[in-house]
Amino acid sequence: MHDSGHEENVLELTQLRRSFDQGRSFVVDGVSFSVARGTIVALVGINGAGKTTTVKMCGTLLAPTEGSVVVAGVDAVKNPEKARAHIGMVLGVERGFYPRASVRDNLRFFADLAAVSYREQAGEIARVLECVGLRDKENKKVQELSHGQKQRLHIARALLGSPELILLDEPTSGLDPDVAVTIRTLMRRVADQGAAILLTSHSMMEVSELADHIVVLNRGKVLVQGSERDIFNFAQLDQVLSFSLVPTHEHELEQLTTVLEFFGLVSVTSQGAAWKVTVYLPDGVDKHALPSIEGAVLRPATLEDAFLALAEKTA
């Protein structure tokens, strides 16, 4: 975890709220967090979380109903244009490029938008393409690129002009695992070079690997934020016991669940004729007292488990 002082925050959200029905209900409801220079903050959501709405407010694409957004010291609600000069964004894939124009011509257009001076454009385009490993594709038409290459081009576009804040909404969704790894390595490198990154992701493995700080949203509010350890502590999770059960008599599942609830949170899902039973065990539970169940596996909890346990608790 990077320790950072207040002045190092590139993005600061304070009591952010957004309503789409004149204040009768709030999709984002009192969200506050910050992203420091050189760090990656992951925004993850449980139920109707409000992640994308939050990211759009950070990127000045949507004005908050209440609260403040400060980007690189600029009040982004009062001066969205000025704030936008400090932001690079990757929101929604596949769209946003001219398919029949070359990679270079597309980036030249976006370099103009990012206020990169004409003199510096060729060098800047070469730099960002090098960054994402697409230097050899600059003369190709965008429509000839693969899904993964387009995704990398979106990131190249976000890097134009070296913005201080980069917003990435699901940057690796739908990508082959090896392409996803390339993009994650790239994100870490960009953060290590001093950018502040706000990332939304469905992949808890990705969040676990990349995030210096995690913000968990649930129904528009911050449920918990902090390090991975903080999330585990909040979810009261240490280990996970899982097994499949085909009940031999009518009340077997019910009876077993009742016993297991003494130890932790129990989740039961159907798997064909069988039931998949997961028990989320907090720290300090006497594992030796657990009933012995055929085929049961006890393992250390992952961030994915913590997330599922929180979803179960807040359902």
Side-chain angles (χ1 to χ4, degrees):
M1 298 291 281
H2 303 253
D3 190 42
S4 53
H6 185 75
E7 69 290 345
E8 283 289 332
N9 288 337
V10 177
L11 174 67
E12 289 186 20
L13 307 186
T14 311
Q15 289 302 312
L16 209 57
R17 301 180 87 202
R18 175 69 208 208
S19 171
F20 291 100
D21 58 9
Q22 279 74 51
R24 282 193 296 279
S25 65
F26 287 87
V27 177
V28 174
D29 194 0
V31 168
S32 302
F33 64 85
S34 56
V35 187
R37 201 172 298 287
T39 64
I40 298 178
V41 171
L43 189 60
V44 296
I46 299 177
N47 300 309
K51 285 191 320 235
T52 301
T53 305
T54 301
V55 174
K56 283 182 174 171
M57 287 190 280
C58 295
T60 74
L61 301 176
L62 206 56
T65 306
E66 291 170 33
S68 76
V69 179
V70 177
V71 176
V74 176
D75 180 332
V77 181
K78 290 200 182 101
N79 305 301
E81 290 294 317
K82 196 175 167 197
R84 210 169 292 159
H86 300 279
I87 303 171
M89 278 185 274
V90 181
L91 307 181
V93 220
E94 289 300 331
R95 297 180 301 284
F97 292 112
Y98 297 97
R100 288 192 280 281
S102 72
V103 164
R104 189 200 291 109
D105 288 346
N106 266 284
L107 288 182
R108 200 172 266 290
F109 171 77
F110 289 110
D112 272 337
L113 290 185
V116 176
S117 74
Y118 188 78
R119 254 197 355 270
E120 292 168 351
Q121 282 185 7
E124 181 62 359
I125 288 167
R127 179 188 77 83
V128 298
L129 285 175
E130 191 67 52
C131 254
V132 300
L134 289 177
R135 193 66 202 278
D136 58 336
K137 300 282 184 275
E138 62 184 316
N139 299 315
K140 270 212 186 288
K141 289 180 177 174
V142 168
Q143 64 189 17
E144 293 167 10
L145 300 180
S146 70
H147 176 65
Q149 288 167 340
K150 281 183 191 154
Q151 192 79 313
R152 284 190 275 161
L153 187 57
H154 275 279
I155 292 175
R157 169 185 153 184
L159 297 177
L160 285 166
S162 299
E164 288 154 90
L165 174 65
I166 297 174
L167 306 174
L168 302 169
D169 197 13
E170 302 284 350
T172 60
S173 78
L175 293 184
D176 292 339
D178 54 336
V179 180
V181 168
T182 307
I183 288 179
R184 285 202 282 273
T185 308
L186 171 66
M187 288 190 277
R188 184 75 264 170
R189 195 165 71 231
V190 170
D192 289 343
Q193 286 163 0
I197 296 181
L198 177 63
L199 160 82
T200 73
S201 180
H202 274 102
S203 162
M204 289 304 123
M205 186 194 76
E206 179 163 280
V207 169
S208 181
E209 185 186 322
L210 284 177
D212 299 300
H213 185 85
I214 302 165
V215 180
V216 181
L217 293 184
N218 182 47
R219 298 191 175 92
K221 294 183 193 296
V222 175
L223 182 64
V224 55
Q225 62 173 307
S227 65
E228 197 166 327
R229 181 39 47 201
D230 294 329
I231 310 299
F232 278 119
N233 291 347
F234 183 82
Q236 295 180 309
L237 193 55
D238 178 45
Q239 288 186 299
V240 173
L241 178 77
S242 56
F243 58 92
S244 287
L245 177 75
V246 180
T248 50
H249 62 82
E250 187 179 358
H251 299 296
E252 186 181 6
L253 181 65
E254 211 176 304
Q255 288 163 352
L256 190 55
T257 305
T258 307
V259 171
L260 291 170
E261 276 169 352
F262 281 112
F263 296 92
L265 183 70
V266 180
S267 161
V268 179
T269 51
S270 71
Q271 271 187 337
W275 294 95
K276 182 176 190 291
V277 182
T278 308
V279 190
Y280 300 105
L281 303 166
D283 210 359
V285 162
D286 180 5
K287 312 294 188 298
H288 303 297
L290 282 164
S292 89
I293 297 158
E294 199 181 331
V297 176
L298 184 65
R299 58 173 174 78
T302 63
L303 189 61
E304 181 85 36
D305 295 317
F307 197 65
L308 292 170
L310 290 174
E312 194 79 25
K313 277 184 182 170
T314 57

